[in-house]
Amino acid sequence: MKSIFQKISSKFIELSLFKFVCFILSITFKLIMKFLLRLLIFPLNLILYLIYPFVKVRFGMIHNDVFGHYLFDTEFYLRKKKLTKEKTYDLFFLSSNFEINIFWDKVIKRNFKINSIFELFFLNSNLFFGSKNSFKLNESTARDAEDIFYRTKTQLNFTKEEIDNGISFLKSIGLKENQKFVCVLNRDPFYKKNFVDQYYKNRNWDYHNYRNSDIDTYIPAIEFLLKKNYFVLRVGKGVSKKLEINHENFLDYSSSNLRNDFLDIFLMSNSYFNLVSESGLLIVSLLYNVPMCFVNMGSIKGTQVWHEKQITIYKKIWSNEKKNFLSLKEIKYLSDPNNYKNKKLIRDQNSIYFWEDREKYSFYNNTPQEILDVTIEAENIILNNTWKTRNKSKLEMDFWRNFLYDKIFHGPKIRSSIGNQFLEDNKYLLD
């Protein structure tokens, strides 16, 4: 019995070693081939570098591994290109083989010149020619610090056939003529674990948990919308928990067999407004200028303040040491890199690791009442189209005076709104 076990173990080790050796050889072969190809195209890289003052050929990388960035940066590039007078011939490659959204892949491929060979030109340009022939679609990815969106119209549009397909779907689920619909997007762990994780094997996504919230807390807001005769669709690419609402004007589309990558984008881009939390799909609202009621936002500084048709409320950060919720001034101080000797405490755009330091801080989600209140406010503003003309309360003006504003990060002007009832109920923010 023992010898049989030893034979099996030995065979397993042999197979494992064989697979490992094959893997190493495969990687080595690919690297060698890539290196040789870069050498072969080097003369062409040199020619493109020398003629750049006369014929500007550039190579860009499209980040397609994170959905929100994939959506935003491609649209941002085309809008910026619309504004600039400089004539360039731009060629692109995708940063990964991921299929985050197969419909968006289709949209991008009909609007951009894409080929994997362009990656080699991009790499050579960065290594040998001071990045003269390479560029980034958006220096501040997934953000509009240059006020591009406010000055331009959507570039990545649907075809007539796609629009017809989307309208047919809406009719098939019972949307009546002239009836408006609202999309509800709530982030939970399902998408990362079940879709993205197939590309990032065994990665721990817990650092995103601060962005999650419970869909049941959205029920009062959904019931309000249903009473106002809106058709409500709960959207998203898979969910942890189905939303049990029995109403002819409600569909938990995200947990149904009707969901597909095309409809995810079509629905969010054609709704009356979107009730959202922190999820990449919300970017569709920005691309197509759809009004947005943003709840359960964890990072205050992350607010897309340039987006005029947006009203936001935030999660609350509790100090476990001081036994109080952090005010804007406290968050501003803790998020300033100049207040730290160890810069590693700061994440990306000066956002401290509140959500990761669980000993010091706890996150509190918005309550059902807070979500309902801001939904009522949003619906009223949208109905009367008073984004530009509404009078901001003293509390909201105080909020923006204390906001973690950074012109390089946020853009030249603040246009979005904060839920007034939320500020009334959480005045600690302005202490």
Side-chain angles (χ1 to χ4, degrees):
M1 189 74 178
K2 186 177 180 181
S3 61
I4 294 173
F5 177 76
Q6 286 175 335
K7 286 179 181 178
I8 293 171
S9 299
S10 176
K11 193 67 176 176
F12 176 76
I13 291 169
E14 286 176 18
L15 286 171
S16 297
L17 285 171
F18 177 74
K19 287 181 179 179
F20 176 74
V21 170
C22 288
F23 173 75
I24 294 298
L25 288 173
S26 174
I27 294 295
T28 304
F29 177 76
K30 287 178 181 177
L31 289 173
I32 291 172
M33 289 303 296
K34 198 169 188 177
F35 175 74
L36 291 173
L37 284 170
R38 287 178 67 179
L39 284 179
L40 285 171
I41 66 167
F42 181 84
L44 185 52
N45 259 114
L46 177 60
I47 292 170
L48 293 175
Y49 172 75
L50 294 173
I51 67 169
Y52 189 80
F54 313 102
V55 182
K56 293 178 171 57
V57 178
R58 305 189 303 172
F59 302 92
M61 176 171 63
I62 296 175
H63 283 284
N64 67 320
D65 53 343
V66 180
F67 191 37
H69 296 236
Y70 191 24
L71 289 166
F72 192 98
D73 293 348
T74 47
E75 174 69 21
F76 179 88
Y77 161 81
L78 291 175
R79 292 200 189 200
K80 187 174 181 178
K81 188 83 170 170
K82 200 79 175 173
L83 290 175
T84 185
K85 294 179 180 179
E86 187 179 31
K87 183 71 173 176
T88 60
Y89 300 92
D90 296 340
L91 307 169
F92 300 89
F93 65 97
L94 300 177
S95 64
S96 73
N97 294 319
F98 297 178
E99 290 186 332
I100 294 292
N101 184 288
I102 57 175
F103 172 70
W104 201 246
D105 290 341
K106 182 180 175 181
V107 172
I108 295 308
K109 285 172 183 176
R110 72 184 181 219
N111 285 276
F112 290 79
K113 294 179 177 65
I114 295 175
N115 194 298
S116 58
I117 194 69
F118 298 146
E119 179 183 4
L120 305 180
F121 287 89
F122 179 87
L123 293 172
N124 278 352
S125 176
N126 288 344
L127 184 61
F128 301 111
F129 303 107
S131 303
K132 189 75 171 180
N133 296 89
S134 61
F135 72 106
K136 292 181 179 179
L137 273 72
N138 185 0
E139 289 291 338
S140 185
T141 184
R143 305 201 64 83
D144 183 9
E146 302 175 55
D147 223 17
I148 300 294
F149 274 60
Y150 193 74
R151 296 180 285 153
T152 51
K153 294 181 179 179
T154 303
Q155 299 299 303
L156 292 168
N157 294 301
F158 298 93
T159 64
K160 184 182 183 303
E161 182 182 3
E162 288 163 355
I163 294 169
D164 290 342
N165 289 339
I167 292 171
S168 294
F169 170 79
L170 290 170
K171 289 179 180 177
S172 74
I173 61 173
L175 188 76
K176 302 174 186 67
E177 191 174 353
N178 298 322
Q179 185 181 21
K180 298 179 177 68
F181 70 94
V182 176
C183 291
V184 177
L185 174 66
N186 172 59
R187 192 187 190 283
D188 64 32
F190 186 91
Y191 174 73
K192 286 287 188 188
K193 289 181 179 179
N194 292 275
F195 289 100
V196 181
D197 205 41
Q198 63 183 297
Y199 305 114
Y200 298 96
K201 299 297 183 184
N202 301 316
R203 181 168 176 175
N204 186 350
W205 298 105
D206 288 351
Y207 69 98
H208 278 286
N209 286 348
Y210 79 99
R211 300 166 65 191
N212 298 333
S213 54
D214 184 357
I215 187 59
D216 286 343
T217 59
Y218 295 67
I219 290 176
I222 293 171
E223 289 176 339
F224 162 76
L225 294 169
L226 292 172
K227 286 178 183 176
K228 298 277 285 188
N229 199 38
Y230 292 103
F231 198 105
V232 180
L233 296 113
R234 193 256 188 110
V235 298
K237 194 167 185 174
V239 290
S240 299
K241 180 169 60 175
K242 187 175 181 179
L243 192 51
E244 302 291 347
I245 295 178
N246 186 19
H247 195 285
E248 64 173 353
N249 286 334
F250 175 78
L251 174 64
D252 194 336
Y253 154 86
S254 57
S255 63
S256 73
N257 58 8
L258 300 172
R259 195 216 68 78
N260 63 56
D261 286 355
F262 159 67
L263 287 172
D264 286 351
I265 295 173
F266 178 85
L267 294 172
M268 287 283 287
S269 62
N270 285 275
S271 57
Y272 187 55
F273 75 94
N274 295 319
L275 172 58
V276 305
S277 68
E278 289 196 64
S279 177
L281 188 58
L282 74 83
I283 296 292
V284 175
S285 302
L286 305 178
L287 268 58
Y288 296 93
N289 198 30
V290 177
M292 182 164 58
C293 180
F294 201 148
V295 302
N296 280 311
M297 189 169 189
S299 175
I300 290 178
K301 186 169 182 177
T303 309
Q304 299 273 17
V305 301
W306 56 268
H307 185 53
E308 185 175 74
K309 296 179 180 180
Q310 176 176 322
I311 186 167
T312 307
I313 61 174
Y314 302 93
K315 291 192 177 190
K316 288 153 274 190
I317 306 171
W318 177 262
S319 169
N320 297 326
E321 295 176 338
K322 295 182 179 180
K323 306 299 179 187
N324 65 268
F325 288 114
L326 297 182
S327 67
L328 267 179
K329 288 180 181 177
E330 289 174 302
I331 295 170
K332 196 171 188 176
Y333 177 85
L334 291 168
S335 298
D336 188 341
N338 295 318
N339 296 324
Y340 295 89
K341 292 180 180 178
N342 183 2
K343 303 300 181 186
K344 291 181 179 179
L345 290 171
I346 300 297
R347 179 187 180 93
D348 298 331
Q349 303 291 340
N350 304 342
S351 298
I352 196 168
Y353 286 87
F354 292 118
W355 48 88
E356 293 178 15
D357 195 344
R358 295 176 186 176
E359 291 184 7
K360 287 187 177 181
Y361 307 106
S362 301
F363 266 80
Y364 283 74
N365 294 340
N366 292 135
T367 65
Q369 187 62 50
E370 287 173 337
I371 297 171
L372 171 60
D373 288 338
V374 74
T375 301
I376 293 171
E377 285 183 53
E379 197 263 350
N380 182 58
I381 295 170
I382 296 162
L383 200 61
N384 296 293
N385 193 25
T386 54
W387 293 109
K388 283 185 171 73
T389 58
R390 63 183 287 269
N391 292 320
K392 295 188 177 182
S393 67
K394 182 181 182 302
L395 285 174
E396 185 171 356
M397 289 190 287
D398 287 344
F399 177 91
W400 289 121
R401 274 193 288 268
N402 288 283
F403 181 67
L404 293 72
Y405 177 69
D406 178 347
K407 187 175 181 179
I408 295 174
F409 182 64
H410 292 107
K413 191 172 182 180
I414 294 174
R415 298 188 183 90
S416 64
S417 304
I418 307 299
N420 190 61
Q421 190 59 51
F422 173 78
L423 293 176
E424 285 282 354
D425 295 338
N426 298 281
K427 291 181 179 177
Y428 73 87
L429 267 173
L430 303 173
D431 287 346

